[in-house]
Amino acid sequence: MSTTQTHPKAYADLLQHHRDASLLSSTASLLGWDQEVMMPPNGLAHRSNQLAQLAQLIHERSTDPRIADWLSACEADESLTADPRSDAAVNLREWRRDYDRATKLPAELVVELSQTTSRAKAEWAEARKADDYARFAPWLDQIIGLSKRQAECYGWPEEGEPWDALADGYEAGMTAAYVAGVFTPLREKLVVLVDRLMGSSTPPSNAFNELKLPIAQQEAFVRRVSAAVGFDYRSGRLDTSSHPFCSGTHHADIRLTTRFAEDNVNDALGSTLHETGHGLYEQGLPAEHLGTPRGSSVGLSIHESQSRLWENQVGRSRAFWTWCHPILVEHFGDAVAGLSADAVYAAANRVSPSLIRVEADEATYNLHIMIRFELERALLKGDLTAADLPSAWNEKYRDYLGVDVPSDAQGCLQDIHWSMGALGYFPTYTLGNLYSAQFFEAAAAELGNLPAMFAQGEFAPLLDWLRKNIHAPGNTYDSADLCEKVTGHPLTADPLLRHLEEKLLPIYGL
């Protein structure tokens, strides 16, 4: 059979095979969402078996020996690969990466990981609720052990470490050495900025952040804001969970969750805008490429850039609050009537070193990420045990943020990620912050006066720009290439530091 006959058939087979596998993955995603949001507690044992079975089926499809033959045939066909940015070449590049990675894991390890993390997530939630780290520690031990086995299967360069092998699954090519190189100078500059702000004699009032407001009204408020910035509720929904997240099955079924506390509407709004940013990205992916890499998001740092951009560059801007303040008064009436738009804006940007990452202000947030990065490196190297995690955590919070941790629920139990087996994940948050600031500067340079638009409730121009430049390309470019294509420059911390200083110093009278 000729090359021209063989290779298009091989590509069609690959396309169908991976779209079928994508259906299984989306089903697992929906079951995971249900476990966090709707499932009764007694359903856990059966749910873990369901997810394990799906994980096994997905792994079997991902490691099907026919994929190797199909890929080899397609990769030899220049009509498919000559243009590295063509739809076919992008799909083949990512399918090859995924296949090479998946075939390194034995099926029994995949099943064990799925069963363990499904149960560990539930145990984490209960341990956090009861402030009982001892309940979760054995599960973390298991996850660290399984993660080390994962890393050994993947392998890492001689000069690298186990963390690199896991991180590569979240952000292609990310290594601990690269992350440390980015984090060290950024940490030094952030510490100087935070110290300067904390030395101000005129910090903004915290009154807005301490108001007690009915949760039902908060939910209506954040839903309205989420819809106003562009989230399509015909293709998504908003619920509550202990740890806010964005999930779903495809671009037309996106599940957001947030959380509420009577005395912190700003946290609910920030969490909702954050997850809305993720949801907008998913809703903006090209529908015609559903189930393929070309129709998928880039690495997690780009995904995070979208959530942090809407949460911070938009939702914490003065222009946003010029528009949003009347809506706030409409929903909460006399309870907020005494607060001006400027007062709410200043309170939304108040800097205070704190315990909880998801409630952290922009200036201190990345310090939380740096702590987690260093701890999970130590866990994977064997320099730190699960039993010793609380004391190591508490020491770093004193050193980096100057705060004492009163309980494990407010300390090492606060994040869900390790219970999910997501080691190597956290630095994508800080990289996402850096990308978000750089993308926003590029959008402002092209679109003009974004603050004037936001003040009028006009968010569509920014969303359209993001759809064109970030969402529509899918996984055509890796994170670094996408950044350079869109902004004209490699990733740098300068835009983020400019954003923080230009906003926060005037708020603090500096």
Side-chain angles (χ1 to χ4, degrees):
M1 188 176 288
S2 71
T3 296
T4 55
Q5 290 174 316
T6 302
H7 294 171
K9 172 66 164 59
Y11 184 76
D13 288 340
L14 273 171
L15 197 61
Q16 187 59 54
H17 185 86
H18 283 93
R19 280 181 164 154
D20 289 344
S22 177
L23 285 174
L24 288 174
S25 296
S26 67
T27 302
S29 178
L30 187 60
L31 287 177
W33 169 86
D34 178 77
Q35 178 176 327
E36 297 299 321
V37 177
M38 304 291 289
M39 188 189 76
N42 289 344
L44 176 61
H46 190 65
R47 179 55 48 83
S48 66
N49 290 334
Q50 290 174 313
L51 289 170
Q53 184 182 66
L54 281 170
Q56 184 173 8
L57 290 171
I58 293 165
H59 183 68
E60 288 171 359
R61 284 185 175 270
S62 300
T63 57
D64 189 322
R66 293 177 298 171
I67 295 176
D69 296 332
W70 290 332
L71 283 171
S72 295
C74 291
E75 289 165 345
D77 186 347
E78 289 189 4
S79 70
L80 295 173
T81 60
D83 177 4
R85 304 301 186 195
S86 70
D87 296 343
V90 169
N91 287 336
L92 289 170
R93 180 194 74 209
E94 294 302 314
W95 286 335
R96 166 60 72 184
R97 168 178 155 78
D98 292 345
Y99 180 73
D100 288 348
R101 195 168 170 85
T103 51
K104 293 178 179 178
L105 290 185
E108 60 270 19
L109 177 56
V110 173
V111 172
E112 189 175 358
L113 274 164
S114 178
Q115 288 177 325
T116 302
T117 55
S118 179
R119 289 176 172 271
K121 283 190 293 184
E123 290 296 327
W124 163 81
E126 292 302 315
R128 181 171 175 264
K129 190 185 303 182
D131 189 20
D132 183 7
Y133 177 76
R135 176 172 180 165
F136 177 63
W139 291 95
L140 182 58
D141 250 336
Q142 289 185 58
I143 288 168
I144 296 300
L146 291 169
S147 297
K148 287 180 179 178
R149 285 170 57 191
Q150 260 189 302
E152 289 164 1
C153 291
Y154 292 137
W156 58 87
E158 185 177 346
E159 67 277 9
E161 58 188 80
W163 189 90
D164 300 346
L166 301 177
D168 187 64
Y170 300 111
E171 187 76 14
M174 183 166 66
T175 66
Y178 169 77
V179 171
V182 172
F183 279 10
T184 300
L186 178 60
R187 181 174 65 240
E188 292 169 354
K189 292 176 181 178
L190 288 175
V191 167
V192 170
L193 175 61
V194 172
D195 285 347
R196 190 176 175 191
L197 296 173
M198 293 300 94
S200 168
S201 60
T202 56
S205 167
N206 199 39
F208 173 60
N209 299 321
E210 296 172 343
L211 288 176
K212 289 192 174 182
L213 301 170
I215 287 176
Q217 291 172 233
Q218 289 190 39
E219 184 173 357
F221 169 62
V222 301
R223 185 183 297 270
R224 180 170 172 183
V225 173
S226 174
V229 301
F231 186 74
D232 184 356
Y233 277 96
R234 298 168 301 175
S235 299
R237 56 181 290 132
L238 177 68
D239 295 275
T240 61
S241 65
S242 59
H243 189 104
F245 66 94
C246 171
S247 182
T249 63
H250 65 303
H251 66 278
D253 182 5
I254 302 301
R255 311 297 177 95
L256 310 181
T257 73
T258 190
R259 63 185 182 188
F260 298 96
E262 279 195 348
D263 59 352
N264 201 342
V265 66
N266 198 39
D267 177 55
L269 178 61
S271 296
T272 303
L273 280 173
H274 182 98
E275 302 308 332
T276 294
H278 284 304
L280 290 171
Y281 188 6
E282 291 292 322
Q283 289 183 341
L285 292 170
E288 65 272 23
H289 294 293
L290 178 65
T292 73
R294 178 61 183 80
S296 304
S297 59
V298 194
L300 289 183
S301 64
I302 299 298
H303 224 307
E304 189 65 12
S305 78
Q306 301 307 283
S307 60
R308 296 296 281 182
L309 185 149
W310 287 100
E311 177 188 1
N312 294 327
Q313 273 77 13
V314 177
R316 283 191 165 107
S317 69
R318 181 187 296 274
F320 172 86
W321 280 109
T322 299
W323 164 77
C324 194
H325 184 261
I327 299 172
L328 183 77
V329 174
E330 181 182 334
H331 279 268
F332 299 106
D334 292 343
V336 298
L339 294 173
S340 68
D342 279 351
V344 174
Y345 159 68
N349 287 286
R350 197 168 187 273
V351 174
S352 179
S354 61
L355 297 165
I356 308 300
R357 175 184 65 85
V358 296
E359 297 173 5
D361 57 81
E362 283 187 88
T364 62
Y365 179 88
N366 295 299
L367 298 173
H368 292 260
I369 301 304
M370 294 168 188
I371 289 170
R372 287 151 178 76
F373 165 61
E374 293 176 11
L375 290 173
E376 64 183 25
R377 281 183 82 185
L379 286 166
L380 286 167
K381 285 181 176 180
D383 296 337
L384 179 67
T385 67
D388 293 331
L389 176 65
S391 60
W393 178 288
N394 297 350
E395 181 179 352
K396 285 191 179 293
Y397 264 76
R398 282 192 296 271
D399 292 345
Y400 283 50
L401 288 155
V403 295
D404 290 318
V405 181
S407 69
D408 291 332
Q410 294 175 288
C412 61
L413 283 173
Q414 67 181 265
D415 291 310
I416 194 174
H417 301 68
W418 290 337
S419 73
M420 298 165 57
L423 284 90
Y425 180 108
F426 276 113
T428 62
Y429 285 127
T430 289
L431 294 176
N433 282 333
L434 299 177
Y435 282 123
S436 71
Q438 197 155 326
F439 288 148
F440 192 80
E441 279 197 355
E446 184 174 330
L447 296 174
N449 195 343
L450 283 176
M453 298 177 198
F454 297 165
Q456 297 299 315
E458 296 174 4
F459 303 102
L462 175 60
L463 179 56
D464 290 344
W465 187 91
L466 293 169
R467 287 267 155 87
K468 173 187 173 184
N469 291 285
I470 310 295
H471 306 174
N475 206 0
T476 300
Y477 306 92
D478 66 22
S479 300
D481 287 344
L482 181 65
C483 178
E484 192 143 7
K485 179 180 185 296
V486 172
T487 71
H489 303 283
L491 181 64
T492 169
D494 293 343
L496 176 62
L497 291 166
R498 276 195 295 271
H499 162 73
L500 292 173
E501 291 173 353
E502 289 173 5
K503 179 170 63 172
L504 297 175
L505 293 176
I507 288 175
Y508 274 77
L510 298 172

